[in-house]
Amino acid sequence: MIEVQNLVLEKNGRRILDNVSFKTNKNLFAIIGANGAGKTSLAYCIMGIEKCSGSIKVDGEEINNLKVYERAKKGVTLAWQIPAEFEGMKVKDYLKASCRCLNLNENKKEELIERTIEKTGLNREYLNREISKLSGGERKRVELASVSLVKPRIIILDEPDSGIDLISFDKIIEFIMELSKESQVLIVTHSKKISSMTEEALLLKNGRAIKLGPTEEILKLYDEVKK
Amino acid sequence: MSDQIIEELIRYAKQSIDDKKIVEKLHSNEVSRIIIHEGEIEDNKAVEGVKIKAKRKSDGFVEVKIIIEKGKKIKEPVYMCFGVLSPDYEQKIDMEITAEDKSEVKMYAFCTFPKSIKVKHIMKTKYKIGKNAKFSYDEFHYHGNIGAKVKSHTEAEVGENSQLTTNFALIYGTVGSLDYKIKTKLKNESKFAAITRVKSRMNDEVFVEESAKLEGKNAASVLKSRLVATDNSKANFVGEIIGEGNNSRGHVDCKEIIMNNAVAETTPKLKVVNKTSRLTHEAAIGSVDKKELQTLEARGLTKEEAIDLIVKGMME
């Protein structure tokens, strides 16, 4: 369960998020809005990457006073729209770092990493590749594997389908569905296709929460708002 | 006594590299090798196709001459270890390596000064690479917790259609002061790729200069450096390429990360004296990439743990 109350984010005198509040216990949840609506900023505030005022509670516990890594240890993680390049770092080292907090021995961790990378549609050989030498789509899949390995309570996915080709799209959807079995997945998106896999959605416009409700309803409203 | 020294040198050489298995072959009978401790030649053996001669000269230098014979492709790498186990010693090495025509060899050199307080290591090196040869030289340093004063200057001539690859790494422990230069001249169709990786801390001073003169047609070179400077250390990189030959190609790629009060400087120097030559460079100095840091923090790593992992990746 995530509960956000009165989030305000200001940058250079401009209000990016204006008293945003929502609460959801749904495992597939979309944050919808046009470019500049504040979707990614909201995601960054939940993760602690942006500092904002207001309250963010995960399963009733306040986390808005915590640093990024402390929030991660409380079970919140985020996959970027455009993942970092990590020059020289191998995929396996990144994924090992992602699951370092799991209470498993090294062999079990390696098995888990291998299984996870394959679920994203990449084979095990990718583990020895350098992240910076992967294509954007491949890097995106490594990012999804990485958040999955944290085994978090809340996963925020920022535009998970960007950079993903049509052939891999279904695999990614399948992967996200699987993530949602064990974690609450908040998906930042302006894609109808991605949103429609969620149960509930929040519509943002100009930094304000316009409406929270069943995704189907919110998508209709989104169409009207766009007009 | 000699075996004890060699064992100790091998133990400390392992501190200079991630892949410890590489070091284990240093004293193996399968490989050509030379081990010099302070001014003494502790071990010297060559397999077929390799000649190694070493002697102590009256000026205090140890002279090392290595020849890779014409047409010989040496299966196992040639190993070298230059070490000082005392806290205060001036080690001077004068080395010449000749890779004759059509030869192929990979060399590993371990320079280890683990107990250094005032150790000096002076190294003058010449590579003479013939035609159609492949020569690769990987050098790993470990200078202990206080650091040593190292001056390593190399001159290389790369013959027609030959390749020279160098890899210099000083990542673990304290540097002290490092003055590392490699100056190369490349003939027709020859290639030179260099990567230098140094992590400095405390009051270390690092100066790295890589230079390639592309004399021949289609000669090409990539000079790459990755320097991480922390605490109050200073790091300075100069990457120089001169394009003389027709269609010669060169690229300088330098990245420096600075932390705390460290100071970094980088200078790509490109000179073109032939209009068909093309030289490029990219250089970046700054702190650790914010997005990389935040990504790892979002996986539960503290800032310090995240920086260590990012730097480790960059240094690999």
Side-chain angles (χ1 to χ4, degrees):
Chain A
M1 160 80 83
I2 182 159
E3 187 176 359
V4 163
Q5 277 183 329
N6 305 321
L7 284 201
V8 174
L9 172 68
E10 287 185 340
K11 274 168 120 179
N12 305 323
R14 203 179 133 232
R15 194 164 270 219
I16 310 292
L17 292 177
D18 192 0
N19 276 306
V20 173
S21 299
F22 72 94
K23 179 177 168 181
T24 182
N25 59 4
K26 299 286 189 258
N27 271 16
L28 279 166
F29 182 83
I31 299 168
I32 302 170
N35 290 339
K39 306 184 297 292
T40 297
S41 295
L42 176 58
Y44 288 179
C45 285
I46 296 170
M47 191 67 247
I49 291 166
E50 296 279 10
K51 299 269 179 287
C52 62
S53 63
S55 164
I56 302 165
K57 285 182 183 167
V58 173
D59 295 336
E61 192 178 356
E62 181 62 53
I63 63 162
N64 203 22
N65 51 348
L66 300 180
K67 292 178 179 169
V68 177
Y69 83 92
E70 291 169 328
R71 293 182 198 213
K73 284 188 171 165
K74 293 281 178 195
V76 182
T77 194
L78 173 140
W80 301 77
Q81 181 179 0
I82 301 166
E85 290 199 12
F86 291 114
E87 189 196 339
M89 194 187 291
K90 286 190 177 154
V91 171
K92 69 175 173 195
D93 290 329
Y94 177 41
L95 297 185
K96 267 186 192 174
S98 305
C99 63
R100 68 206 297 273
C101 297
L102 298 182
N103 191 18
L104 293 173
N105 66 35
E106 286 307 305
N107 288 344
K108 293 275 179 205
K109 279 183 187 172
E110 274 180 29
E111 282 171 23
L112 179 65
I113 287 169
E114 286 172 0
R115 279 202 310 273
T116 307
I117 194 86
E118 284 180 343
K119 280 183 195 166
T120 68
L122 298 175
N123 62 43
R124 291 172 188 204
E125 284 166 23
Y126 275 85
L127 293 172
N128 285 317
R129 297 229 199 144
E130 276 182 38
I131 297 170
S132 60
K133 290 181 180 162
L134 301 179
S135 71
E138 288 167 340
R139 223 162 43 229
K140 190 91 181 172
R141 288 190 249 180
V142 169
E143 184 78 347
L144 288 173
S146 165
V147 291
S148 152
L149 287 165
V150 178
K151 299 280 175 207
R153 289 190 280 177
I154 310 270
I155 300 178
I156 308 160
L157 303 178
D158 192 3
E159 307 282 3
D161 57 331
S162 75
I164 297 290
D165 59 61
L166 285 173
I167 300 160
S168 314
F169 185 82
D170 290 344
K171 195 91 190 164
I172 294 301
I173 297 291
E174 206 179 290
F175 190 75
I176 294 171
M177 294 301 280
E178 199 175 317
L179 288 179
S180 72
K181 286 179 191 164
E182 290 180 0
S183 309
Q184 241 188 308
V185 183
L186 311 186
I187 306 175
V188 170
T189 185
H190 54 244
S191 150
K192 273 192 176 177
K193 208 169 174 183
I194 288 283
S195 313
S196 57
M197 66 189 273
T198 64
E199 305 156 84
E200 197 176 32
L202 173 74
L203 178 61
L204 290 179
K205 190 183 176 189
N206 297 330
R208 289 188 180 167
I210 302 292
K211 197 172 181 188
L212 173 74
T215 305
E216 209 173 319
E217 254 177 52
I218 298 296
L219 283 174
K220 277 180 196 161
L221 182 63
Y222 181 36
D223 282 340
E224 284 165 25
V225 167
K226 276 200 288 188
K227 282 173 198 167
Chain B
M1 187 61 190
S2 193
D3 278 351
Q4 275 180 11
I5 288 173
I6 291 170
E7 265 178 37
E8 207 174 342
L9 287 173
I10 290 174
R11 188 155 50 86
Y12 283 117
K14 285 182 181 173
Q15 308 255 15
S16 66
I17 189 169
D18 264 347
D19 189 353
K20 316 282 183 216
K21 280 183 190 164
I22 289 176
V23 189
E24 276 157 21
K25 279 198 168 173
L26 178 58
H27 195 35
S28 144
N29 276 331
E30 298 161 36
V31 303
S32 301
R33 63 198 184 264
I34 177 151
I35 300 176
I36 296 172
H37 173 242
E38 299 178 358
E40 301 297 323
I41 299 143
E42 299 287 344
D43 190 17
N44 177 6
K45 188 182 177 287
V47 301
E48 201 205 326
V50 181
K51 285 181 186 164
I52 303 177
K53 282 184 186 171
K55 65 175 182 195
R56 195 169 176 166
K57 296 197 298 181
S58 56
D59 57 3
F61 273 87
V62 177
E63 185 182 80
V64 179
K65 289 198 175 186
I66 300 176
I67 297 172
I68 312 301
E69 292 173 348
K70 188 174 178 179
K72 297 287 183 187
K73 294 182 168 100
I74 311 303
K75 232 182 187 180
E76 292 289 340
V78 173
Y79 279 77
M80 280 169 256
C81 181
F82 307 107
V84 174
L85 293 170
S86 315
D88 183 4
Y89 186 84
E90 183 171 291
Q91 183 182 54
K92 298 195 281 190
I93 311 283
D94 184 355
M95 185 162 72
E96 183 179 291
I97 304 174
T98 305
E100 293 181 344
D101 296 352
K102 294 184 184 170
S103 64
E104 284 183 21
V105 69
K106 180 170 183 66
M107 295 191 169
Y108 286 123
F110 296 92
C111 299
T112 176
F113 320 113
K115 299 167 190 171
S116 169
I117 294 174
K118 283 183 179 175
V119 169
K120 283 185 190 168
H121 170 77
I122 295 161
M123 185 104 184
K124 292 193 291 185
T125 310
K126 264 190 188 165
Y127 303 145
K128 292 179 177 174
I129 300 163
K131 293 177 186 173
N132 302 305
K134 281 186 187 172
F135 179 77
S136 154
Y137 190 89
D138 290 3
E139 186 174 341
F140 302 94
H141 281 238
Y142 179 65
H143 299 180
N145 292 324
I146 293 177
K149 189 168 183 176
V150 170
K151 184 175 174 180
S152 172
H153 289 187
T154 300
E155 287 182 9
E157 284 175 18
V158 187
E160 279 184 20
N161 199 35
S162 287
Q163 292 176 24
L164 167 65
T165 310
T166 63
N167 169 15
F168 179 95
L170 203 176
I171 299 169
Y172 304 104
T174 305
V175 177
S177 88
L178 172 70
D179 172 4
Y180 173 78
K181 287 183 190 171
I182 178 160
K183 214 169 179 179
T184 57
K185 287 180 185 173
L186 284 84
K187 302 294 180 196
N188 291 347
E189 313 287 342
S190 62
K191 314 264 182 291
F192 169 46
I195 175 151
T196 304
R197 298 165 297 151
V198 182
K199 187 177 176 190
S200 59
R201 54 195 276 253
M202 300 202 300
N203 294 306
D204 291 342
E205 292 194 1
V206 174
F207 178 71
V208 174
E209 183 175 346
E210 295 167 348
S211 165
K213 194 172 179 196
L214 310 176
E215 293 179 345
K217 70 171 182 187
N218 297 326
S221 182
V222 176
L223 309 179
K224 192 169 172 180
S225 74
R226 296 291 180 264
L227 306 182
V228 175
T230 66
D231 302 329
N232 295 308
S233 65
K234 290 176 184 164
N236 187 350
F237 171 77
V238 177
E240 179 187 44
I241 304 185
I242 302 165
E244 282 184 5
N246 281 342
N247 297 310
S248 53
R249 297 284 181 268
H251 183 66
V252 177
D253 170 6
C254 174
K255 190 169 176 184
E256 294 187 41
I257 286 182
I258 55 163
M259 288 182 261
N260 316 110
N261 300 315
V263 179
E265 196 177 329
T266 182
T267 316
K269 282 164 77 173
L270 306 178
K271 184 177 173 186
V272 174
V273 291
N274 180 321
K275 64 180 179 187
T276 63
S277 176
R278 182 173 158 77
L279 309 181
T280 53
H281 74 84
E282 54 188 310
I285 306 183
S287 50
V288 173
D289 184 88
K290 204 174 166 186
K291 188 171 186 175
E292 292 179 0
L293 197 61
Q294 288 170 334
T295 301
L296 293 174
E297 286 178 312
R299 306 292 176 261
L301 278 73
T302 62
K303 191 177 175 184
E304 291 71 26
E305 289 167 337
I307 288 172
D308 281 352
L309 193 62
I310 292 164
V311 166
K312 187 172 175 275
M314 203 183 102
M315 287 285 166
E316 269 181 11

